[in-house]
Amino acid sequence: MGFRFRRSVSLGKGVRLNFSKSGIGMSFGVKGARYSIGPSGTRATVGIPGTGLYWEERSSRKSSAAEFSANPSSASDMAMGCLTFAVLVFGLAIVLAAPDGGKVLVLAGMTTYFWWAYRRAQKLKAAREQAAAAEREAMLKHIEEDEAKANAVLSGNLAPIANPPAVRLRKGEVIYYVADATLTEARERGQKVLGHGQVVVGSRKVYFLGDERTYSFDLDKIMQLEVHLGSLEVIRDGKQQNQSFVTEWPHTLAAYIKKALEASKAS
């Protein structure tokens, strides 16, 4: 139990200024419809007077901040929703209080606003769909480019790269391919990130040079390679769990590993 403080001051026309221990807020509306803004967030309430039936939606400041950081467009949507609700509440209040001639003007203004809001929503929807389509097209184009690079690797001959990264190699081992990647491992609760760094394809091993640790995979223990969207899963024979390389060119990486494995078997 603790002391609580709350005081509400009416400013007229359904507007109230609320004072509490957590801060100052404001609410406005008419009987059956009210919108509140306070330190903890917002609350919209719409109900049928005298029935006890009402609908309420709350939005806390913490959840809103997290949502806006993940999707900035949601901030604009929420602001537009609040504006529309305010226009509806104040419009209904004016309609109930205004004479017959004024009601017609208010209703005409509300109709114009809601038509504008509808058209704006349609334009935003079309813009988002266009952006999503462009993103899908770019992703498909990137996949096609990745597959083309992989086919070129598979149909050509491997050649050691110049200036390979510093990695401890076996005697006579060379490096064929280096790329930025993130290494993950399959766990019961999903994929666990093991590190960020570089994947290195050698003539005998595949190495991962992480920011904290180096991993190595013997080519002769690799049983299968599975390319997923943006990642290459390496399935190996042994007690170790399967790992995946999250990289920009997964098909290309798989092609280099396959060619290196063929070359190691041939030698």
Side-chain angles (χ1 to χ4, degrees):
M1 296 290 292
F3 289 102
R4 296 191 176 187
F5 170 75
R6 181 176 176 84
R7 183 175 178 81
S8 181
V9 178
S10 176
L11 302 180
K13 297 293 184 180
V15 181
R16 303 187 70 86
L17 194 62
N18 305 313
F19 300 89
S20 65
K21 186 178 178 181
S22 57
I24 301 175
M26 187 176 68
S27 64
F28 51 87
V30 296
K31 190 174 182 180
R34 182 158 290 274
Y35 188 79
S36 304
I37 304 174
S40 59
T42 61
R43 181 178 64 182
T45 306
V46 178
I48 303 175
T51 64
L53 299 175
Y54 67 95
W55 169 85
E56 182 179 89
E57 182 175 353
R58 294 173 180 264
S59 175
S60 66
R61 289 189 180 275
K62 290 183 179 180
S63 62
S64 297
E67 181 183 359
F68 294 164
S69 62
N71 184 13
S73 64
S74 61
S76 175
D77 293 342
M78 180 168 285
M80 194 64 193
C82 294
L83 178 61
T84 301
F85 186 84
V87 170
L88 177 62
V89 170
F90 281 111
L92 291 176
I94 295 173
V95 167
L96 294 175
D100 294 340
K103 290 180 180 180
V104 175
L105 294 176
V106 173
L107 289 174
M110 291 177 63
T111 301
T112 302
Y113 168 78
F114 285 122
W115 174 250
W116 171 81
Y118 171 77
R119 295 293 298 171
R120 179 182 181 275
Q122 292 297 313
K123 290 181 179 179
L124 287 176
K125 181 181 178 181
R128 289 172 182 170
E129 289 177 350
Q130 184 177 3
E135 185 177 353
R136 287 193 300 270
E137 184 178 353
M139 182 181 65
L140 292 175
K141 184 178 180 181
H142 180 80
I143 293 175
E144 291 178 357
E145 186 177 354
D146 185 23
E147 291 177 343
K149 288 184 177 181
N151 292 331
V153 173
L154 293 174
S155 61
N157 296 320
L158 289 177
I161 64 172
N163 302 320
V167 58
R168 196 171 185 178
L169 302 175
R170 295 181 182 180
K171 185 178 180 180
E173 187 176 9
V174 295
I175 300 300
Y176 297 127
Y177 181 69
V178 179
D180 294 333
T182 297
L183 181 64
T184 65
E185 186 173 68
R187 300 288 178 87
E188 292 182 357
R189 297 184 178 180
Q191 294 288 329
K192 175 181 174 59
V193 176
L194 299 180
H196 307 279
Q198 289 183 316
V199 57
V200 179
V201 180
S203 56
R204 296 185 182 180
K205 286 188 176 185
V206 177
Y207 302 89
F208 178 76
L209 309 181
D211 42 13
E212 296 181 356
R213 181 180 170 185
T214 297
Y215 298 82
S216 63
F217 311 87
D218 291 330
L219 287 174
D220 56 2
K221 290 186 178 180
I222 295 177
M223 304 294 293
Q224 189 176 349
L225 299 171
E226 293 187 2
V227 178
H228 304 287
L229 186 62
S231 67
L232 172 66
E233 183 180 5
V234 180
I235 302 173
R236 295 178 293 156
D237 181 19
K239 296 182 179 180
Q240 291 180 316
Q241 295 183 354
N242 300 335
Q243 281 91 17
S244 296
F245 294 106
V246 182
T247 179
E248 186 178 3
W249 309 101
H251 289 89
T252 304
L253 174 60
Y256 272 104
I257 294 177
K258 289 178 181 178
K259 289 290 288 187
L261 183 57
E262 292 175 2
S264 66
K265 288 181 179 179
S267 60

